[in-house]
Amino acid sequence: MGRVPTRLRELADRVFDRPRLDIPITHPSTWGVPPAEDAVDGQVIWVWPEMSYGFLHGIEVLGRRLGQPWQALEPQPDWKIVHFFGYVCRSKSHRRS
């Protein structure tokens, strides 16, 4: 498909090689929506898991463009959805030595 930097490919391989993937839905913060449970003082709900449904709808739109029958309401077990934030900077002034 596209050219993926080696470091990013290695990270994805390590994540997908895990037998299961635990994703926290809260994190320590003083700003945000607190969970309904009382046992998690100082925690707020992490916004990204709730956005995953929007990503699934984006995949459905992409599927229509590519002629694939992908449905947001019916994600398949063989789907590997990866959403990375950030970018690879190619500027020499930002590279680590």
Side-chain angles (χ1 to χ4, degrees):
M1 292 209 93
R3 189 165 171 259
V4 177
T6 303
R7 206 171 60 192
L8 191 56
R9 169 60 69 188
E10 289 170 356
L11 172 63
D13 288 342
R14 285 195 316 267
V15 168
F16 291 129
D17 283 344
R18 295 177 179 182
R20 67 181 236 193
L21 181 61
D22 295 322
I23 300 174
I25 59 168
T26 66
H27 63 96
S29 182
T30 57
W31 182 89
V33 178
E37 294 83 7
D38 293 332
V40 287
D41 271 344
Q43 298 276 319
V44 295
I45 296 173
W46 191 41
V47 68
W48 300 115
E50 84 178 43
M51 292 178 60
S52 62
Y53 196 70
F55 299 147
L56 288 173
H57 277 282
I59 289 168
E60 186 172 320
V61 170
L62 176 62
R64 276 196 298 264
R65 288 184 195 159
L66 298 174
Q68 296 292 324
W70 301 335
Q71 297 293 315
L73 295 175
E74 297 175 9
Q76 301 301 306
D78 63 336
W79 288 8
K80 290 188 177 180
I81 302 167
V82 181
H83 187 97
F84 290 96
F85 293 92
Y87 64 97
V88 175
C89 182
R90 299 200 190 295
S91 167
K92 289 181 183 178
S93 64
H94 292 100
R95 290 186 185 162
R96 294 180 180 155
S97 352

